Amino acid sequence: MLIVDDTNWQTQIGDGKQIVVGGETRLLSAIPKPEGHNSRGYSKVFGDSFKTIPRSEWDDRVKELEAKKMQIRDHQNWPCDNQGSYPTCWAAGTMQAISTARVMQLGIKNYIRFSAMAIACPISGGNSGGYEGDAVEYATKYGCVDSKLWGYTDRSPSKNRDPEIIANRALHKTLDSYELNGFDEFFTAMLLGFPCTVSYNWWSHVVSLAGAVVIERGSYGLLIRNNWGDSYGDKNSFGHGGYAVFREGRGTPSGGYMIYQQTPSLMLAA
Amino acid sequence: MEPTNKFPVVRLLLACIAGWLILGDDIGGGCTLPIVNDPPPFVTTTPVSVLIVEENRERGNYTPGQQAVIKSTLGAKAYVEGKGGSFIVLDKDTPTDKAAPWVQEAMKAVQPNLLPWMVAANPKTGKSMQLPKEEPETIAILKQLGGD
């Protein structure tokens, strides 16, 4: 199990701007929450709606999640998303969280790999870093796009005017999201089974969360799923990769959003 | 004779309704009300399909058995999907205008004051009821519809 903490975090950052993983150069391009950014225009405050689960319950709850395969990673029966060499982690981490939320609502038959570039291109042109809240906001206001229609790494801004793309976005909007703050809130979201997109300022990177972990007695971590393909980190029970445990402290997200509901646009009849 | 004694059946019925409104569930030795068997609450061609409606903010307060049905990839979800059916979990406030017709029909059967609620059906019959507190009870009900 890959555990990232204060002892080894530097193995994750390369020269601070990029790192080679899986044979590809990964740009570390996330930016912190911009000053003056108004998250309340598209998301709610987690603490206003959810009670944080006390630490005294964490061990038992994690045991139950593992025993009954209730961790978020247990739903992720698809290869890890791969942003390639593009500076789009802030869109990619958010799309992986949104794809997961959709599967947890509608079942694996309705899995859609949402295009990171379909979010990044309209916001940044797809060639510069960004903030994950901007991706959540765009998914809320305009919707996500199936990567079968807009390639996952296809940097073609003109596609955004395609009527088929516009129609597809309307079927895949984020309906409900919450901004979280602090390790206990993110851990609670994992215990409740709500996927999150999270940023790490020391990493300049955005990934999604996929589980709650008891590393040792009294030491907790968050299971992250990266956007660098299956070759990064550990694999889940389906054999798909991208996972690592980030221990509380270095592994406490700098910020992030919990994705609760997507448009329930079913592809299949009952 | 007191006028109220003329209508014992009506009084009993009113008392039952009042009890149901106050208690919500578990009336009459643990029987969860209401259950609709016929006609099915939605049209399906699968052996069994299910819609569960929850209040997302309350998920942490649901029983472990209810949370297992909602979150687990085993148990109820594995059973329904193994039968080729759909297993859908939505928040009570989720708009369903973009959803498949069967979800829209199932949503009409939900009692929003008794969440989490389960609506399940096979091609001939169905059930609409508060999600049982224990996971095995939920699976047993689904097997009544979908077979072993």
Side-chain angles (χ1 to χ4, degrees), chain B residues 82-96:
Chain B
K83 289 283 180 181
S86 293
F87 189 96
I88 310 295
V89 180
L90 297 180
D91 181 75
K92 68 178 177 59
D93 295 323
T94 302
T96 54

Side-chain angles (χ1 to χ4, degrees), chain A residues 44-51 178, chain B residues 56-58:
Chain A
K44 302 167 191 165
V45 176
F46 181 86
D48 289 349
S49 300
F50 293 86
K51 187 180 165 192
Y178 296 83
Chain B
N56 64 359
R57 296 172 189 179
E58 295 298 322

Side-chain angles (χ1 to χ4, degrees), chain A residues 44 49-50 61 64-65 67-70 74-75 103-110 170-171 175-176 178 191-194 260-266 268-270, chain B residues 42-46 49 54-57 59-60 64 67-68 70-74 77 81 84-91 94-96 98-100 102-103 135:
Chain A
K44 302 167 191 165
S49 300
F50 293 86
R61 285 189 182 243
E64 193 166 16
L65 290 181
K68 294 189 173 175
K69 284 196 167 286
M70 294 193 284
D74 296 322
H75 294 261
V103 165
M104 294 180 78
Q105 283 177 243
L106 308 179
I108 192 66
K109 288 191 296 187
N110 287 290
L171 295 174
L175 303 174
D176 209 359
Y178 296 83
L191 292 175
L192 294 176
F194 297 122
Y260 179 68
Q261 287 283 302
Q262 285 294 115
T263 308
S265 50
L266 299 190
L268 302 165
Chain B
F42 58 85
V43 176
T44 179
T45 56
T46 65
S49 279
E54 63 168 333
E55 161 68 78
N56 64 359
R57 296 172 189 179
R59 185 182 283 188
Q67 290 196 46
I70 289 169
K71 293 188 293 188
S72 178
T73 54
L74 305 175
K77 186 184 186 79
E81 292 187 341
S86 293
F87 189 96
I88 310 295
V89 180
L90 297 180
D91 181 75
T94 302
T96 54
K98 301 273 194 315
W102 77 268
V103 175
E135 187 186 19

Side-chain angles (χ1 to χ4, degrees), chain A residues 14 21 24 31-32 39 67 118 161 177 194 215 221 266:
Chain A
V21 174
E24 288 188 88
I31 60 173
S39 309
R161 296 189 292 274
S177 66
F194 297 122
I215 300 173
L266 299 190

Side-chain angles (χ1 to χ4, degrees), chain A residues 126-195:
Chain A
N127 53 13
S128 64
Y131 169 56
E132 74 273 14
D134 286 332
V136 174
E137 181 175 22
Y138 203 88
T140 303
K141 289 184 176 172
Y142 304 104
C144 310
V145 180
D146 190 332
S147 58
K148 288 176 185 161
L149 294 177
W150 186 327
Y152 191 82
T153 54
D154 178 2
R155 195 162 58 191
S156 304
S158 62
K159 275 186 182 259
N160 209 34
R161 296 189 292 274
D162 183 335
E164 193 178 12
I165 296 293
I166 294 168
N168 197 255
R169 285 194 191 282
L171 295 174
H172 304 303
K173 289 187 176 182
T174 295
L175 303 174
D176 209 359
S177 66
Y178 296 83
E179 188 173 17
L180 301 92
N181 185 30
F183 189 83
D184 289 28
E185 288 194 357
F186 286 103
F187 205 88
T188 295
M190 292 300 97
L191 292 175
L192 294 176
F194 297 122

Side-chain angles (χ1 to χ4, degrees), chain A residues 4-7 9 55 58 182-184 186-187 199-202 215 218-222 245-254:
Chain A
V4 175
D5 57 18
D6 278 337
T7 66
W9 63 277
R55 288 182 176 236
W58 286 9
F183 189 83
D184 289 28
F186 286 103
F187 205 88
S199 56
Y200 289 94
N201 290 346
W202 59 264
I215 300 173
S219 179
Y220 302 98
L222 296 165
V245 176
F246 276 39
R247 191 193 298 264
E248 182 180 10
R250 183 64 56 180
T252 300
S254 306

